Amino acid sequence: MGHKKMFSAKKNKNKNGYTLVEAIASLALTAVLLAAATILLTQSLRLHQRLRTASDALMVSEIILDKVTGEIAGAKNNRHEGSTVIVSSEGSLGTPSVTLTTRADRRVEITSDQTEEGAGLVLLYPPTKADPEETFWTLDEKLYLGYGIDGLEFELLDKADGSRTNVIRVSLRIRNKKTGLTYARSRSVACSYFVTEEDILRIRTE
């Protein structure tokens, strides 16, 4: 009796290969991970931008306030009627200002200009015999880091009982020209050389 040989077909399976389902699942997982990474990166960039913008705003504010309050603190007191510190709601340029005598014994008006590009800090020096031309001092535009002064105000403070003091509050608001972001900060400073009652009466509002 003859014997028939039985042959079984063996499937050739590559153990290192992927099925179609596995490939699709792998691609889907990769897409999810890439999407998550993109979201995290975008959020990180936005956070970094916000932190940088806030840091720039603080830096610009400090530069402006340091200059203004430094001039006010050092206002020279010559001990006569003309030696005054004048706080005005509308100065020579139509904006709030404070006028005083500098350490170099020259009158100066501290204010801000108004332009379409945004206002900047201005120190106006009136004509003198030595210098017959009115002169201007401004901060370098690069120091503003894209910001402009949106408001610069001065307020002569009183005590609780209503009596006068030698302290002036400087309120500053700056605005980013591109983003429109605003940042406000204020600082109070005393006119260091105006200490007696007679001195303080020569610090006034007009």
Side-chain angles (χ1 to χ4, degrees), residues 107-128:
R107 293 294 282 179
V108 63
E109 180 182 2
I110 304 171
T111 186
S112 60
D113 64 345
Q114 293 287 349
T115 66
E116 293 182 358
E117 297 299 323
L121 179 65
V122 178
L123 273 63
L124 299 175
Y125 296 89
T128 63

Side-chain angles (χ1 to χ4, degrees), residues 72 75 81-91 96-101 107-110 154 156 164 168 191 194 201-206:
I72 294 175
E81 184 60 29
S83 180
T84 58
V85 175
I86 307 298
V87 176
S88 174
S89 59
E90 187 173 346
S97 70
V98 60
T99 303
L100 51 86
T101 302
R107 293 294 282 179
V108 63
E109 180 182 2
I110 304 171
F154 307 92
L156 180 57
R164 302 277 292 278
I168 295 174
C191 300
F194 291 74
L201 289 177
R202 284 186 278 105
I203 305 173
R204 56 180 183 264
T205 301
E206 292 185 351

Side-chain angles (χ1 to χ4, degrees), residues 58-100:
L58 177 61
M59 184 183 301
V60 173
S61 296
E62 289 297 303
I63 290 173
I64 296 172
L65 287 174
D66 283 348
K67 177 62 178 177
V68 174
T69 57
E71 293 289 345
I72 294 175
K76 190 170 183 179
N77 181 9
N78 291 321
R79 304 286 179 181
H80 58 71
E81 184 60 29
S83 180
T84 58
V85 175
I86 307 298
V87 176
S88 174
S89 59
E90 187 173 346
S92 301
L93 299 181
T95 53
S97 70
V98 60
T99 303
L100 51 86

Side-chain angles (χ1 to χ4, degrees), residues 19-33:
T19 65
L20 181 59
V21 173
E22 290 173 333
I24 294 175
S26 178
L27 289 174
L29 180 59
T30 301
V32 170
L33 293 175

Side-chain angles (χ1 to χ4, degrees), residues 23-197:
I24 294 175
S26 178
L27 289 174
L29 180 59
T30 301
V32 170
L33 293 175
L34 286 175
T38 301
I39 292 173
L40 289 175
L41 179 61
T42 302
Q43 291 177 342
S44 296
L45 290 174
R46 288 177 179 173
L47 178 59
H48 177 268
Q49 184 61 36
R50 285 198 296 268
L51 291 174
R52 180 178 178 181
T53 301
S55 176
D56 287 348
L58 177 61
M59 184 183 301
V60 173
S61 296
E62 289 297 303
I63 290 173
I64 296 172
L65 287 174
D66 283 348
K67 177 62 178 177
V68 174
T69 57
E71 293 289 345
I72 294 175
K76 190 170 183 179
N77 181 9
N78 291 321
R79 304 286 179 181
H80 58 71
E81 184 60 29
S83 180
T84 58
V85 175
I86 307 298
V87 176
S88 174
S89 59
E90 187 173 346
S92 301
L93 299 181
T95 53
S97 70
V98 60
T99 303
L100 51 86
T101 302
T102 68
R103 297 178 180 86
D105 206 22
R106 186 173 182 185
R107 293 294 282 179
V108 63
E109 180 182 2
I110 304 171
T111 186
S112 60
D113 64 345
Q114 293 287 349
T115 66
E116 293 182 358
E117 297 299 323
L121 179 65
V122 178
L123 273 63
L124 299 175
Y125 296 89
T128 63
K129 290 182 180 180
D131 189 355
E133 297 289 333
E134 183 180 52
T135 56
F136 296 76
W137 181 94
T138 59
L139 283 172
D140 189 316
E141 186 177 353
K142 294 179 181 179
L143 293 176
Y144 287 98
L145 301 177
Y147 283 86
I149 295 178
D150 197 41
L152 179 62
E153 299 177 348
F154 307 92
E155 180 186 3
L156 180 57
L157 301 182
D158 293 332
K159 294 181 181 179
D161 61 4
S163 59
R164 302 277 292 278
T165 72
N166 65 344
V167 178
I168 295 174
R169 178 189 290 133
V170 183
S171 298
L172 171 68
R173 185 175 64 254
I174 60 176
R175 179 177 59 84
N176 190 287
K177 300 174 185 178
K178 291 184 178 180
T179 65
L181 176 71
T182 59
Y183 181 82
R185 191 173 177 83
S186 65
R187 189 186 296 177
S188 296
V189 57
C191 300
S192 303
Y193 300 103
F194 291 74
V195 291
T196 68
E197 184 177 350

